[in-house]
Amino acid sequence: DFFPKNDPDTEYYLEFRKSFETDNDFFIVALENEGSIFDSTFLSHVDSLTKKLQALPNVEECVGPTSLMTYAVDPLFGGVFETPLLSANSAQSFKQDSIAIWKSPSYVGVFFGTNGKSVAINMKHTQMLSKEKCDDLAKNIQVEVDKFQFKKSHVIGRALGQKLYVELMIKELALFISISLVLTTIFLFIAFRSGWGIVIPTTVVLLSIIWTLGFLKIMGKDLDLMLTVLPTILFVVGMSDSVHVLTKYMQELRKGKEKVEAIRYAFKSIRLATFLTALTTAIGFFTLVFSNIQPISDFGIYTAVGVLLAYGLTYTLLPAILILGKPKRMNNFALSDDFWTSKLHNGFMWVLRNRKSIWIGGIVALAISAWGVSTIVVDNKMLEDLKDDHVLKQEFSFMEKEFAGCRPFELGIVLPNDSAIRSVKVLKQLDTLELYLRNEYGVGAMLGYAQLVKESNKTLNFGSEEYYTIPDSTKELNEIANLLQQGPIARATALAYNDSTHTLRISGKVGDIGRLHFDSCNAKLNAFIDANCPDLSNRKITGTAHLIDVNNRSLIENTVWDLFISVLVIGIIMGIVYKSWRMIPLTILPNLFPLLIVAGIMGFTGIPLKVSTSIIFNIAFGIAVDDTIHFLARVKSLLGEGLSVNYAVKRTFLTTGKAMIVTTLILSGGFLTLIFSDFLGTHYIGLLVSLTLFIALFAELLYSPLIVMFFFKKR
């Protein structure tokens, strides 16, 4: 689902997969022994396990070190027959077998660990299995492995990874909502000193979450890796309007208004501001719909829907609860002294006294941040979204260290015609390419047609090592081609060459080093092919790992474009609604400041820009602009009542400032709960969005009064 939509690389891979197979529907079971792996008891257990795994439902192929077969020519009758590479019950031949194994690049790093202390059983299962069948298969494999009580076992595979991801998603979904509920309860109690002050906004938000999840189900959409953070985001974002309404309601009560009159005036005075905040927040999320990565697009759409549902409930359910619930204690607290007033008054006077230092400090901070932005790295790994102590990450690390790795490598080459596959010239170029991939690029567990040809040539010449090469005569190549169509070796041949499309496939595994590393490797590979393999010019690197890289390569363009749309639309809306061009810079400038600061922090701390972290800028801008809208709306309202600019700004700072601080604490606290996620992407969303909102609050309190006074100084 994370493959880019309508992308030529994706379309090529989907067609390539039809010709061969997926590179991701596999399981590897690695087993360690106390001493040497060449131990009869250990290998006997490995052999028994291999047979049991082969018998499991949906396992299409299962090959272990004891089931590997080599081919030999019958010296009397000339036929080709199979013989075991390694016999589990023949200890006297272990030394000779080990020498043969370590001479062949086809076995070491694939079935035998590079340190000689572990072996691996490689399995392929039915392609595109459903989640339920994947879960069953992963469970059945683990049950069979556990029966033999090996010293240590390691199991990896997409089906298992999917199972662990989903289990972790469910666990974290409950965790985030629970922590958000606790933190929000604390902040609301501090703000309103009343149980009703907690119950009212919490009820509004919880109902909006339930409605949004119901809408997901109606639309046939399931929770995925991105949408697991949706309830947490709605929980904290949906609080904003409720807090502003309740704060204004209590201010009106403090002025002596009756309850119903206070409710009516509170909603009337901030209805435009709350509508704009809901709209701009929804726009911030909705701009993600332009992403060509489906889960991110869906995340933007459904979160925007949830924000609008929360707004609707704020204007229907909240006043109903205030009237029918009769929250006396909340009303009494509203009539008591408000300690916020003196604190905010002192803060406002400090801003006025230090305006010059504030401007200089902001300019310096932006200059330093610009330097940091220039150092941001756009990189990714297959499993970097998991923390290092997660079991799946540890299993991958073991496979990286002892075997060929887990990141798939796929290269497709289209030959010009049927005869090219039997051309000595073409095959020698292909052999040159495969040697480069193994020795320079670092591809292990490699399967290529030239390798099959060399192994067949060696077989036809009674296993002599000097014949492990591409023969020079067409006659020999024709003989080898016939051998490659016989018995089990035909299966391997079909995975390396598709005769109907004249397509060669070179596949293998590499270490999960990162996109930047492989971008460099791919550039060198293309230069090598152009210089040394002219008949293989019609080639393309593909595979699941490559498509993940393609996603991240276009991230900067997508991120900048989505943010530009969000900023432009929100600025235009503010200008139209208030019929003043001044509202555009007043809305945009204070909220670009925190985005640049956080982008600079990402650069300095080495946090890479990738699929998960790229969305924080849209989220943060859409939310941070809410405080600006409330501030400006209140200023405009007071100016309309005839107040001077300075006094309108001061009154706004003292009244709206409290709601801004409380909502920021709730929002930042809610997002901060995401730092406890085992998914690094979710962890960074929580950390960076909460940091952005805190910086946005300070920017709002420091710069909005000064900017408003500057733009409206003549009025």
Side-chain angles (χ1 to χ4, degrees):
D1 286 344
F2 280 86
F3 295 160
K5 297 181 298 182
N6 305 318
D7 184 271
D9 284 283
T10 301
E11 293 171 2
Y12 180 89
Y13 171 70
L14 295 177
E15 289 300 317
F16 187 78
R17 189 169 65 183
K18 291 177 184 178
S19 298
F20 298 102
E21 62 179 358
T22 66
D23 59 358
N24 211 22
D25 291 324
F26 68 87
F27 262 100
I28 300 176
V29 178
L31 307 164
E32 297 183 69
N33 194 34
E34 285 285 355
S36 169
I37 57 173
F38 294 100
D39 174 88
S40 295
T41 303
F42 172 71
L43 289 177
S44 179
H45 288 166
V46 171
D47 188 57
S48 298
L49 175 60
T50 304
K51 292 173 181 175
K52 287 186 174 294
L53 294 177
Q54 177 68 73
L56 292 177
N58 293 308
V59 173
E60 295 190 346
E61 182 180 316
C62 182
V63 183
T66 59
S67 62
L68 284 169
M69 305 299 290
T70 59
Y71 298 92
V73 176
D74 189 322
L76 295 177
F77 302 102
V80 177
F81 64 93
E82 292 181 330
T83 180
L85 174 70
L86 174 65
S87 175
N89 301 313
S90 181
Q92 62 272 20
S93 63
F94 282 167
K95 183 176 181 180
Q96 182 179 350
D97 292 342
S98 66
I99 293 172
I101 289 168
W102 253 259
K103 278 185 177 181
S104 174
S106 304
Y107 305 132
V108 179
V110 184
F111 300 98
F112 300 89
T114 54
N115 67 352
K117 295 182 179 179
S118 55
V119 297
I121 301 172
N122 289 263
M123 302 184 302
K124 294 179 182 178
H125 60 77
T126 305
Q127 296 187 21
M128 309 303 288
L129 278 180
S130 66
K131 178 190 175 298
E132 292 75 15
K133 290 183 178 179
C134 282
D135 289 350
D136 289 340
L137 180 57
K139 179 182 176 181
N140 292 337
I141 289 174
Q142 194 63 59
V143 167
E144 294 298 337
V145 172
D146 291 342
K147 287 179 181 177
F148 289 90
Q149 299 181 335
F150 290 99
K151 175 201 170 187
K152 201 166 185 181
S153 61
H154 309 268
V155 182
I156 69 163
R158 180 186 65 82
L160 176 62
Q162 176 177 276
K163 179 175 181 291
L164 293 175
Y165 263 64
V166 172
E167 289 173 353
L168 190 57
M169 284 161 52
I170 295 171
K171 172 187 169 186
E172 292 192 348
L173 183 62
L175 175 67
F176 296 152
I177 292 179
S178 301
I179 298 177
S180 296
L181 185 58
V182 171
L183 287 175
T184 303
T185 299
I186 295 172
F187 292 139
L188 289 174
F189 183 77
I190 293 173
F192 301 115
R193 307 290 176 86
S194 165
W196 282 105
I198 299 170
V199 170
I200 294 172
T202 302
T203 302
V204 170
V205 172
L206 287 178
L207 194 57
S208 69
I209 292 172
I210 292 170
W211 283 15
T212 304
L213 294 177
F215 181 68
L216 276 174
K217 186 63 180 176
I218 290 171
M219 299 302 292
K221 177 67 181 175
D222 295 319
L223 287 176
D224 58 27
L225 188 60
M226 296 297 301
L227 288 174
T228 51
V229 300
L230 183 148
T232 305
I233 290 176
L234 288 182
F235 193 91
V236 294
V237 171
M239 288 284 178
S240 178
D241 286 340
S242 296
V243 170
H244 278 283
V245 169
L246 290 176
T247 302
K248 186 62 181 174
Y249 165 69
M250 293 174 70
Q251 288 171 357
E252 297 309 311
L253 288 178
R254 197 172 290 118
K255 293 177 181 179
K257 288 187 173 67
E258 292 296 323
K259 182 171 69 172
V260 175
E261 185 185 358
I263 293 172
R264 181 180 293 112
Y265 184 82
F267 276 94
K268 180 181 178 180
S269 63
I270 64 173
R271 61 187 176 189
L272 179 59
T274 50
F275 170 73
L276 289 174
T277 57
L279 182 62
T280 54
T281 301
I283 289 171
F285 284 108
F286 192 76
T287 53
L288 297 175
V289 75
F290 298 108
S291 172
N292 63 348
I293 301 171
Q294 190 63 47
I296 291 182
S297 177
D298 290 342
F299 170 78
I301 293 172
Y302 292 112
T303 309
V305 169
V307 169
L308 295 177
L309 287 174
Y311 169 76
L313 287 168
T314 300
Y315 272 77
T316 52
L317 183 62
L318 191 150
I321 296 176
L322 284 175
I323 293 173
L324 300 176
K326 301 178 181 179
K328 293 182 180 179
R329 185 175 176 183
M330 187 174 178
N331 295 348
N332 293 335
F333 176 65
L335 299 175
S336 64
D337 291 334
D338 188 2
F339 93 104
W340 290 92
T341 302
S342 61
K343 299 289 187 287
L344 288 169
H345 180 273
N346 293 336
F348 181 72
M349 298 309 296
W350 184 89
V351 170
L352 293 185
R353 286 194 301 267
N354 296 277
R355 63 180 72 190
K356 185 176 181 181
S357 299
I358 290 172
W359 283 117
I360 294 173
I363 293 170
V364 171
L366 287 176
I368 296 173
S369 298
W371 179 25
V373 170
S374 67
T375 65
I376 287 181
V377 175
V378 184
D379 199 10
N380 61 278
K381 296 180 182 178
M382 287 189 67
L383 271 192
E384 69 180 349
D385 211 36
L386 288 175
K387 291 184 176 177
D388 290 338
D389 59 353
H390 191 273
V391 59
L392 192 60
K393 191 69 172 285
Q394 292 177 342
E395 298 293 52
F396 262 66
S397 296
F398 173 81
M399 295 302 297
E400 295 275 319
K401 181 180 178 182
E402 304 299 339
F403 290 86
C406 301
R407 177 188 162 106
F409 172 85
E410 298 278 323
L411 176 65
I413 303 169
V414 179
L415 297 179
N417 50 54
D418 289 335
S419 60
I421 194 62
R422 299 195 183 193
S423 164
V424 174
K425 179 185 174 186
V426 170
L427 288 177
K428 289 201 171 186
Q429 290 180 26
L430 183 61
D431 183 40
T432 300
L433 173 57
E434 291 183 12
L435 289 172
Y436 176 87
L437 289 171
R438 180 177 288 112
N439 299 328
E440 301 297 330
Y441 197 104
V443 180
M446 192 165 71
L447 174 65
Y449 192 83
Q451 174 186 324
L452 294 176
V453 169
K454 292 196 294 183
E455 289 177 352
S456 298
N457 191 34
K458 176 182 171 182
T459 298
L460 291 173
N461 288 277
F462 306 103
S464 176
E465 287 293 333
E466 63 180 290
Y467 287 95
Y468 187 72
T469 183
I470 303 294
D472 292 321
S473 73
T474 304
K475 179 182 178 182
E476 290 175 292
L477 284 180
N478 290 335
E479 188 177 355
I480 289 171
N482 293 331
L483 175 61
L484 291 176
Q485 301 303 320
Q486 297 179 23
I489 198 172
R491 163 71 177 158
T493 305
L495 295 176
Y497 179 67
N498 185 297
D499 55 6
S500 62
T501 59
H502 317 312
T503 304
L504 288 162
R505 172 190 181 226
I506 303 176
S507 61
K509 298 284 196 298
V510 291
D512 194 16
I513 303 171
R515 181 188 65 82
L516 291 179
H517 170 82
F518 288 109
D519 278 352
S520 173
C521 288
N522 292 341
K524 293 176 183 177
L525 172 62
N526 285 321
F528 179 84
I529 294 175
D530 290 338
N532 300 281
C533 311
D535 294 313
L536 307 179
S537 59
N538 190 359
R539 81 279 180 176
K540 191 172 183 65
I541 297 171
T542 187
T544 52
H546 175 71
L547 289 179
I548 294 173
D549 292 348
V550 170
N551 280 352
N552 286 271
R553 194 177 297 122
S554 60
L555 269 180
I556 292 181
E557 179 182 344
N558 288 342
T559 299
V560 173
W561 175 245
D562 291 346
L563 184 60
F564 173 77
I565 293 175
S566 181
V567 170
L568 180 65
V569 171
I570 291 172
I572 290 174
I573 289 174
M574 291 295 292
I576 293 174
V577 169
Y578 286 105
K579 300 177 182 179
S580 171
W581 68 268
R582 291 182 177 88
M583 300 303 286
I584 298 175
L586 284 172
T587 304
I588 293 174
L589 292 178
N591 296 293
L592 288 180
F593 180 83
L595 297 187
L596 288 171
I597 298 293
V598 170
I601 291 173
M602 287 179 64
F604 287 127
T605 57
I607 298 174
L609 188 65
K610 51 186 177 178
V611 170
S612 51
T613 56
S614 67
I615 67 173
I616 67 157
F617 298 102
N618 292 71
I619 296 175
F621 182 82
I623 297 173
V625 78
D626 291 359
D627 284 342
T628 306
I629 292 172
H630 280 290
F631 191 95
L632 295 177
R634 182 64 176 155
V635 169
K636 291 284 286 185
S637 175
L638 293 174
L639 289 176
E641 295 176 10
L643 274 67
S644 68
V645 174
N646 287 8
Y647 193 62
V649 171
K650 178 183 176 182
R651 283 280 301 275
T652 300
F653 197 95
L654 299 183
T655 55
T656 307
K658 173 189 173 181
M660 288 163 53
I661 294 171
V662 173
T663 54
T664 298
L665 287 173
I666 292 173
L667 288 165
S668 299
F671 274 104
L672 207 57
T673 63
L674 301 180
I675 68 172
F676 298 106
S677 174
D678 280 329
F679 295 113
L680 281 179
T682 306
H683 170 88
Y684 284 133
I685 288 175
L687 176 65
L688 297 175
V689 172
S690 59
L691 182 62
T692 305
L693 295 179
F694 264 118
I695 297 172
L697 174 65
F698 283 108
E700 197 67 45
L701 296 175
L702 292 176
Y703 293 103
S704 284
L706 302 180
I707 295 175
V708 170
M709 290 177 181
F710 175 80
F711 276 95
F712 287 90
K713 59 186 177 183
K714 295 183 179 180
R715 301 182 61 184

